[in-house]
Short mmCIF file of all heavy atoms in Angstrom, two decimals:
data_model
loop_
_atom_site.label_atom_id
_atom_site.label_comp_id
_atom_site.label_asym_id
_atom_site.label_seq_id
_atom_site.Cartn_x
_atom_site.Cartn_y
_atom_site.Cartn_z
N CYS S 258 12.60 145.84 94.11
CA CYS S 258 13.23 145.67 92.81
C CYS S 258 12.84 144.35 92.31
O CYS S 258 12.84 143.25 92.99
CB CYS S 258 14.69 145.74 93.05
SG CYS S 258 15.32 147.39 93.39
N GLN S 294 30.03 162.95 99.84
CA GLN S 294 31.24 163.03 100.66
C GLN S 294 31.59 164.58 100.77
O GLN S 294 32.16 164.95 101.71
CB GLN S 294 32.38 162.17 100.16
CG GLN S 294 32.17 160.71 100.15
CD GLN S 294 32.29 160.10 101.60
OE1 GLN S 294 33.14 160.53 102.29
NE2 GLN S 294 31.37 159.30 102.00
N VAL S 302 33.52 176.47 94.94
CA VAL S 302 33.41 177.86 95.00
C VAL S 302 34.12 178.54 96.27
O VAL S 302 34.81 179.50 96.15
CB VAL S 302 31.86 178.37 95.09
CG1 VAL S 302 31.64 179.72 95.44
CG2 VAL S 302 31.12 177.82 93.82
N GLU S 320 23.82 170.12 90.47
CA GLU S 320 23.59 169.50 91.78
C GLU S 320 22.27 169.26 92.14
O GLU S 320 21.93 168.16 92.63
CB GLU S 320 24.26 170.56 92.81
CG GLU S 320 24.23 170.10 94.26
CD GLU S 320 24.52 171.19 95.31
OE1 GLU S 320 24.54 172.33 94.96
OE2 GLU S 320 24.65 170.82 96.47
N ALA S 329 17.28 158.67 98.01
CA ALA S 329 17.80 159.01 99.24
C ALA S 329 19.14 159.59 99.12
O ALA S 329 19.91 159.25 98.24
CB ALA S 329 17.88 157.75 100.18
N THR S 331 22.58 160.41 101.47
CA THR S 331 23.22 160.31 102.82
C THR S 331 24.44 161.26 102.81
O THR S 331 25.11 161.39 101.86
CB THR S 331 23.68 158.86 102.93
OG1 THR S 331 24.77 158.47 102.01
CG2 THR S 331 22.65 157.87 102.89
N SER S 396 41.05 172.19 99.62
CA SER S 396 40.22 172.40 100.75
C SER S 396 40.98 172.39 102.04
O SER S 396 40.47 172.84 103.07
CB SER S 396 39.24 171.17 100.77
OG SER S 396 38.40 171.11 99.63
N ASP S 414 63.71 169.19 118.20
CA ASP S 414 62.80 168.18 118.68
C ASP S 414 61.55 167.99 117.80
O ASP S 414 60.77 167.02 118.05
CB ASP S 414 62.36 168.45 120.10
CG ASP S 414 61.53 169.72 120.24
OD1 ASP S 414 61.98 170.77 119.47
OD2 ASP S 414 60.63 169.69 120.90
N ASN S 438 63.02 170.72 108.30
CA ASN S 438 62.14 170.07 109.27
C ASN S 438 60.72 169.77 108.67
O ASN S 438 59.81 169.53 109.36
CB ASN S 438 61.89 170.91 110.55
CG ASN S 438 61.24 172.28 110.20
OD1 ASN S 438 61.23 172.84 109.09
ND2 ASN S 438 60.65 172.87 111.16
N LEU S 450 48.86 151.46 106.30
CA LEU S 450 48.25 152.72 107.01
C LEU S 450 48.39 152.82 108.41
O LEU S 450 48.69 153.93 109.00
CB LEU S 450 46.83 152.72 106.55
CG LEU S 450 45.99 153.82 106.98
CD1 LEU S 450 46.45 155.30 106.48
CD2 LEU S 450 44.49 153.79 106.52
N ILE S 459 51.48 163.70 116.82
CA ILE S 459 50.44 164.71 116.80
C ILE S 459 49.84 164.81 115.33
O ILE S 459 50.61 164.93 114.36
CB ILE S 459 50.79 166.17 117.09
CG1 ILE S 459 51.45 166.09 118.45
CG2 ILE S 459 49.65 167.11 116.94
CD1 ILE S 459 52.31 167.41 118.78
N ARG S 465 39.72 174.48 105.38
CA ARG S 465 39.61 175.98 105.19
C ARG S 465 38.34 176.48 105.71
O ARG S 465 37.33 175.77 105.82
CB ARG S 465 39.69 176.24 103.60
CG ARG S 465 40.99 176.12 103.00
CD ARG S 465 41.12 176.65 101.68
NE ARG S 465 42.37 176.41 101.04
CZ ARG S 465 43.56 177.08 101.28
NH1 ARG S 465 43.48 178.05 102.24
NH2 ARG S 465 44.64 176.81 100.74
N SER S 470 30.14 173.25 106.32
CA SER S 470 28.78 172.82 105.88
C SER S 470 28.80 172.06 104.57
O SER S 470 27.74 171.63 104.07
CB SER S 470 27.85 174.12 105.79
OG SER S 470 28.29 174.86 104.77
N LYS S 476 39.49 161.90 107.93
CA LYS S 476 40.72 161.34 108.38
C LYS S 476 40.80 161.41 109.93
O LYS S 476 41.56 160.79 110.63
CB LYS S 476 41.97 162.10 107.80
CG LYS S 476 41.96 163.65 108.19
CD LYS S 476 43.18 164.28 107.65
CE LYS S 476 43.28 164.19 106.13
NZ LYS S 476 42.19 165.10 105.51
N VAL S 501 36.12 166.05 118.31
CA VAL S 501 37.39 166.20 119.06
C VAL S 501 37.10 166.78 120.41
O VAL S 501 37.55 166.28 121.50
CB VAL S 501 38.35 167.21 118.33
CG1 VAL S 501 39.61 167.52 119.18
CG2 VAL S 501 38.73 166.55 117.06
N GLY S 507 41.95 165.90 121.65
CA GLY S 507 42.81 166.84 120.90
C GLY S 507 42.32 168.25 121.25
O GLY S 507 41.67 168.54 122.19
N LEU S 508 42.93 169.17 120.39
CA LEU S 508 42.62 170.57 120.42
C LEU S 508 41.94 171.12 119.19
O LEU S 508 42.23 170.62 118.14
CB LEU S 508 43.88 171.42 120.68
CG LEU S 508 44.77 170.95 121.81
CD1 LEU S 508 46.06 171.74 121.90
CD2 LEU S 508 44.02 171.36 123.14
N VAL S 510 41.17 174.65 117.02
CA VAL S 510 41.48 175.98 116.82
C VAL S 510 40.74 176.57 115.66
O VAL S 510 40.37 175.86 114.78
CB VAL S 510 43.06 176.27 116.58
CG1 VAL S 510 43.81 175.67 117.89
CG2 VAL S 510 43.44 175.50 115.27
N GLN S 527 55.23 170.04 123.85
CA GLN S 527 55.93 170.03 125.11
C GLN S 527 55.18 169.30 126.30
O GLN S 527 55.82 169.37 127.39
CB GLN S 527 56.13 171.50 125.50
CG GLN S 527 54.80 172.20 125.89
CD GLN S 527 54.94 173.76 126.04
OE1 GLN S 527 55.92 174.28 125.60
NE2 GLN S 527 54.01 174.44 126.59
N THR S 529 54.11 165.64 126.85
CA THR S 529 53.87 164.21 126.46
C THR S 529 52.67 163.60 127.19
O THR S 529 51.83 162.87 126.64
CB THR S 529 55.03 163.39 126.77
OG1 THR S 529 56.22 163.99 126.09
CG2 THR S 529 54.97 161.95 126.29
#
Side-chain angles (χ1 to χ4, degrees):
C258 292
Q294 293 287 316
V302 173
E320 179 195 12
T331 62
S396 299
D414 62 318
N438 63 338
L450 179 58
I459 301 166
R465 289 195 184 281
S470 64
K476 63 175 65 65
V501 175
L508 301 174
V510 299
Q527 67 190 13
T529 303

